[in-house]
Amino acid sequence: MKFKSLLAKPFASIVSSKIRKEMQRAVEDQDAILEDLVKTGRNTDFGKEHNFDAIHTYNEFKAAVPIRDYEQFKPYINKIKEGRHHVLWKGQPIYLAKTSGTTSGIKYIPISKESISNHIDTARNALLYYMSETGNSSFADGKMIFLSGSPELERIAGVPTGRLSGIVNHHVPRYLRTNQLPSYETNCIEDWETKLDQIVEETINQDMTLISGIPPWVQMYFDRLIARSGKPVGELFKNLDLLVYGGVNFEPYRAKLMESIGRPIHTIETFPASEGFIAFQDVQGGEGLLLNTNSGIFFEFVPAQEIFNEKPTRLSLKEVELGVNYALIINSNAGLWGYNIGDTVKFVSLNPYRIVVTGRIKHFISAFGEHVIGEEVEHSLMKAAGEEQVRITEFTVAPMVQTNGELPYHEWFVEFETMPADLATFAARVDENLRQKNIYYDDLLTGNILQPLKIRPVRRQGFIDYMKSIGKLGGQNKVPRLSNDRTFAEQLMQYLQ
């Protein structure tokens, strides 16, 4: 065992012991966090406007602080961008995390002196807990790559501003700097394909032991390594034994990634967001991610079907139930209050509290009242793919309403790594899977309101070419699984086979 892995073992044991204790007192920690947040927030503009002095209970907090999304929160962010202090949290943020979705504009999320540890320590804890659980610490002695955005930061009203992954890059511990790839200069390259070529150049002859990133962009990296070397990634990097990922459901990408590696390796799923590091996988082979209940965030949960109601039901951690689809609301020591981050989750365990991410609030189809969500389409497609030994590269789904006299339907744009033997039969399998998963969709087909779904094969690398065309290639960008309109779908039409 080498030096760094040897030192990491006792540290991992200490951290994992702490986390296990926190699992048992999650509700108490959440209550304490809310109390501390309100106490600190009383002297901010937001706290004064929302009468924080009179808040002593969670019910009083809910009555005083409405749920908001970014657009509703934007006036407070604009004050921070103008240089105002004590707007949402004491003083000024130490960073603004700049983020944008595939279909939305730029957002600026505050990170405070108190909240930065949530991002840094949780990433560290996920690795240390894995070490403690599996006994594997050897990856600490090799090279590690984090496929991320540029660490170059601009300033807005004196506040350093940039992509979260770039901000985090500035906080990599000194003892890991010698392990980290790519170089700072390469990380600063904005064009993703140019950057990827340089990353391949810098890593192809290194002893890579850990690779981290969003799955589709990790796959692009793997494809270029294989094209350059003619070898599977696992043969090229003989000591590679850990893949860390987040941002999207891994299952659509798992088979191709593992084939590219050429052998099984361990994986760790994480749930980081610009608003906070929400959860991480604590058990290899287990279902769900451990909710980060003692890291400066007070969580609320709204039944997903109520999120657009004027007064939706709001639940604290101790009130949640298994198997219910919730919109995730956070209140944090970065100064986010009643903030709807746009993700939906479902609890798969209440002891400890573990979640799975089921989709995005705005990524659904309910053109006819069916409210199909990301979890359902991913399950339906991947089950059919598994049954027919079909490989999926990427996909998205949209409603087709204008059909020239036909019944409307769901239109699936799918890029296949391996095509089904019979596309119509495959589409029928997917459709049947979705009918079993969503009773409202089934009712619409039974009642002849909808016809069965249709699949449009997208040409090889079509999604990559499209994302490149809109400047969303690489980094933290993701393809939306579902849309309730046809904006994304119409733009994809030119990339069909």
Side-chain angles (χ1 to χ4, degrees), residues 302-373:
V302 173
Q305 70 273 17
E306 296 186 32
I307 190 59
F308 297 113
N309 293 357
E310 185 176 343
K311 291 186 177 181
T313 303
R314 295 167 69 173
L315 307 172
S316 65
L317 188 63
K318 63 187 173 187
E319 299 171 288
V320 299
E321 298 177 4
L322 290 173
V324 177
N325 203 35
Y326 293 112
L328 183 62
I329 311 299
I330 69 172
N331 307 273
S332 77
N333 55 7
L336 299 176
W337 303 100
Y339 187 86
N340 176 10
I341 71 171
D343 288 293
T344 57
V345 301
K346 187 181 291 184
F347 281 89
V348 295
S349 168
L350 301 182
N351 185 25
Y353 288 97
R354 292 196 184 101
I355 59 171
V356 293
V357 182
T358 54
R360 297 280 296 166
I361 288 295
K362 293 182 179 179
H363 292 174
F364 65 93
I365 299 178
S366 198
F368 310 95
E370 65 273 40
H371 207 89
V372 171
I373 62 174

Side-chain angles (χ1 to χ4, degrees), residues 189-199 220 224 461 464-465 468 473:
I189 297 172
E190 287 292 343
D191 179 75
W192 175 248
E193 292 189 287
T194 303
K195 179 175 182 173
L196 200 55
D197 285 337
Q198 189 59 34
I199 290 173
M220 277 190 74
R224 297 205 177 188
Q461 289 209 312
I464 286 175
D465 291 343
K468 181 180 178 181
L473 189 63

Side-chain angles (χ1 to χ4, degrees), residues 213-225:
I214 291 180
W217 312 132
V218 172
Q219 186 63 61
M220 277 190 74
Y221 171 55
F222 285 177
D223 289 344
R224 297 205 177 188
L225 284 169

Side-chain angles (χ1 to χ4, degrees), residues 127 130-131 136-142 144 179 209-210 241-242:
L127 293 177
Y130 164 82
M131 284 184 185
N136 175 28
S137 61
S138 60
F139 67 86
D141 293 313
M144 308 177 192
N179 300 64
T209 54
L210 181 151
D241 61 4
L242 189 58

